[in-house]
Amino acid sequence: MVDAKMLNKIGSAPGFIAALDQSGGSTPKALLLYGIAEADYNGDEEMFRLMHAMRVRIMKAPAFSGDKVIGAILFERTMDGDVDGQAVPSYLWEKRGVVPFLKVDKGLLDEDNGVQLMKPMPDLDPLLIRGRDKSIFGTKMRSVIAHADKTGIAAVVKQQFEVARQIIGQGLVPIVEPEVSIKSPTKEAAEAILRDEIAAQLDKLPAGEQVMLKLTIPTVDGFYEPLGAHKSVIRVVALSGGYSRADACEKLRKNHGMIASFSRALTENLRVQMSDAEFDASLAETIDEIYAASVKKA
């Protein structure tokens, strides 16, 4: 059963969703941007320990609260971790007023027909049950579209919605994320195909079943507004997709109804060497900027 208070916050509160879900191959790059090189740690366990420490520092910062950050997407290891002895999901909701989500995909297959589908997730149901027991509200899963290939994009959207229905069946809210690469030479054309494919899948959802959409900020301003108005869509959020924070926020301001769900754009100015006061001030400035870009038209 979806938590009604969390649903109300995610569906209507002003603010944005923080993506704190870097995992596996993306973790070394995230740590490097934070100021920790691969030579500074030995093995995956130490790497993930350092990554968790960075995330805890973010979550404990005064500005990281439900007043502006309405949700946070977690890596599985982060969900299983703690903040000062309290499980991360309950800490986020009970202490910070932030709705917890869980990244559930296991990475991407090799590109075929201009897209990368998600790898199989044979253990998804047990993960969803564990997440639900830990007060996780929803999930997110990412595919990537590199070219405007109708066959490939249709396959991406079909797979996303098949998994979404499985997630709904476990009482969680899925974030469907078919990312169009900002480097795609056919980005605008890919977005046109994607919008039609998503709309068709939304129309097939049974009454009462709802999803969220996480999409690359479109080339044409306001292009995804019709999707946001669909009865089966709780909210449309935007990924930063490799844009700098300044560029992502500028583009987001031009898209009514989309709020941010930024990862690298959220942490790009944070450094491990900062004092706590410097770290908190930098994060507060970033949160204010992303919040303003999200709520000016939400």
Side-chain angles (χ1 to χ4, degrees), residues 242-257:
Y243 290 124
S244 69
R245 186 178 77 246
D247 285 347
C249 285
E250 180 183 359
K251 293 176 185 299
L252 182 60
R253 289 187 192 98
K254 300 173 183 176
N255 285 273
H256 179 82

Side-chain angles (χ1 to χ4, degrees), residues 2 48-49 54 92 121 147 156 165 174 194 212 245 253 284 287:
V2 173
F48 286 121
R49 180 184 61 78
M54 173 188 171
L92 283 171
M121 292 175 267
H147 299 284
V156 159
R165 285 189 287 272
L194 177 63
M212 296 172 65
R245 186 178 77 246
R253 289 187 192 98
I287 286 173

Side-chain angles (χ1 to χ4, degrees), residues 177-214:
E177 184 184 3
E179 174 183 350
V180 178
S181 171
I182 64 171
K183 298 178 181 178
S184 172
T186 53
K187 179 173 179 287
E188 184 175 347
E191 288 164 348
I193 299 169
L194 177 63
R195 189 178 70 175
D196 288 347
E197 292 293 333
I198 292 175
Q201 289 291 338
L202 289 172
D203 288 342
K204 295 177 183 178
L205 285 178
E209 293 192 359
Q210 291 183 299
V211 302
M212 296 172 65
L213 302 175
K214 183 169 179 175

Side-chain angles (χ1 to χ4, degrees), residues 48-122:
F48 286 121
R49 180 184 61 78
L50 291 167
M51 194 73 229
H52 185 70
M54 173 188 171
R55 289 167 176 155
V56 169
R57 199 177 186 191
I58 291 170
M59 289 184 280
K60 291 179 68 174
F64 195 89
S65 76
D67 292 339
K68 294 180 178 177
V69 183
I70 60 173
I73 303 171
L74 308 174
F75 176 44
E76 184 179 347
R77 281 176 175 254
T78 309
M79 176 188 74
D80 291 335
D82 68 86
V83 181
D84 297 337
Q86 183 172 2
V88 168
S90 63
Y91 173 84
L92 283 171
W93 180 239
E94 295 171 12
K95 296 291 182 66
R96 312 303 285 162
V98 176
V99 177
F101 291 81
L102 175 65
K103 166 187 160 68
V104 296
D105 69 83
K106 301 301 181 185
L108 301 168
L109 297 173
D110 292 338
E111 185 176 317
D112 185 35
N113 289 327
V115 303
Q116 288 179 274
L117 295 170
M118 296 181 289
K119 290 180 178 178
M121 292 175 267

Side-chain angles (χ1 to χ4, degrees), residues 114-148:
V115 303
Q116 288 179 274
L117 295 170
M118 296 181 289
K119 290 180 178 178
M121 292 175 267
D123 300 322
L124 180 58
D125 278 326
L127 176 60
L128 296 174
I129 293 167
R130 193 155 59 84
R132 191 181 63 211
D133 290 345
K134 288 177 175 283
S135 301
I136 290 291
F137 168 78
T139 66
K140 89 112 189 190
M141 53 206 173
R142 172 177 170 264
S143 312
V144 174
I145 297 166
H147 299 284

